[in-house]
Amino acid sequence: MWEQLAASLTDGLLLGFVYGLAAMGLTLIWGVMSVINLAHGPVIALGMFGTYLCFTHLGLNPYLAVVLVAVLGLPLGFFIYGVAVHRVINAPHLSSLLATFAVNMIIIGVGTAVFSTSPQNIDFSMGTLEAGPLTVPGTRLVAAFGAVLFTAGLYLFLYFSRPGKAIRAVANNRRAAELMGIPSSLILALSFGLGTMLAAAAGGLIATFFPFTILSGGSYELKSFVICVLGGLGHPLGALFGGLIL
């Protein structure tokens, strides 16, 4: 019984790091612009398929593919922000909900037409790590380590780079930041891009050990909302601890 409990606890903690990364993008967007992003789940699913396509068609190592998918997630976030979010940024919350839900439906509709709803998986193994009674898949360990690296990168960016400090300033007081010469529209777009990048990266990591479809993002979006509440809504680094608690 204790061995089973230890195995479940270890597995849950490793998954928690990746789920925390998925929620980090959602809570970052909320913390900076007070927008509940209902397109978060489909972006996670796009990250899964992006990693899958890079692995199967380009022959890339899936973890290198995750980095590429994350990089591509940044301009995708800029695009979504410019098309759907920018015009409702100061509107009531219902307007932003409807705008991001429309993006949600578009991604799912196009994704279903392109990829169908048949489950896919990334057939990649990194062996297992055995420590006494515990047997941990290598893919879980690497995914958890990757989530920690992305979290550390976000922390360093937000606290030690000029754009990161501008993001924090806009999150604290947008009008005061504008009076100090910070271009709030550009910073909001950057924040949405970073949130999209983190969601895509999390999707790519999840795809290395779970099968997925274009509809899979919905369940991870729901988990992300729960994690945001556990870790403190609007606090990106708290999302990691929320993921571990979940």
Side-chain angles (χ1 to χ4, degrees):
M1 174 181 177
W2 291 109
E3 292 180 356
Q4 293 177 345
L5 179 61
S8 296
L9 181 63
T10 302
D11 192 53
L13 289 175
L14 293 175
L15 285 176
F17 282 108
V18 183
Y19 289 163
L21 178 65
M24 208 171 293
L26 188 68
T27 196
L28 174 66
I29 291 171
W30 169 261
V32 176
M33 60 187 72
S34 298
V35 169
I36 299 175
N37 181 21
L38 294 183
H40 189 72
V43 169
I44 292 175
L46 287 180
M48 295 173 172
F49 275 96
T51 304
Y52 170 77
L53 293 174
C54 289
F55 174 69
T56 55
H57 296 287
L58 301 180
L60 285 180
N61 180 289
Y63 299 105
L64 292 177
V66 168
V67 175
L68 177 59
V69 166
V71 171
L72 294 176
L74 186 63
L76 174 63
F78 272 96
F79 177 75
I80 294 174
Y81 176 83
V83 170
V85 180
H86 175 68
R87 63 193 65 194
V88 296
I89 195 68
N90 294 315
H93 289 310
L94 181 60
S95 298
S96 60
L97 280 172
L98 291 174
T100 55
F101 183 68
V103 176
N104 177 312
M105 298 302 293
I106 290 170
I107 294 176
I108 289 178
V110 174
T112 300
V114 174
F115 302 116
S116 80
T117 55
S118 300
Q120 305 291 343
N121 72 291
I122 294 177
D123 188 13
F124 184 78
S125 175
M126 296 193 67
T128 57
L129 175 66
E130 296 185 4
L134 297 178
T135 301
V136 182
T139 50
R140 301 282 177 94
L141 287 171
V142 176
F145 181 69
V148 172
L149 286 181
F150 274 105
T151 303
L154 178 65
Y155 177 84
L156 293 174
F157 178 80
L158 289 178
Y159 285 87
F160 296 99
S161 73
R162 189 176 183 87
K165 292 177 181 178
I167 289 174
R168 290 165 53 216
V170 170
N172 286 329
N173 191 320
R174 190 187 309 172
R175 182 164 296 180
E178 290 173 347
L179 291 174
M180 297 300 294
I182 296 174
S184 63
S185 295
L186 180 60
I187 294 302
L188 292 176
L190 175 61
S191 302
F192 201 93
L194 287 174
T196 304
M197 179 185 74
L198 294 172
L205 292 174
I206 293 170
T208 60
F209 45 78
F210 285 149
F212 55 90
T213 71
I214 193 63
L215 304 175
S216 296
S219 63
Y220 298 110
E221 182 178 299
L222 180 60
K223 287 184 174 71
S224 296
F225 279 115
V226 174
I227 290 168
C228 287
V229 174
L230 291 174
L233 195 61
H235 296 85
L237 301 182
L240 191 66
F241 296 101
L244 296 177
I245 293 170
L246 182 69

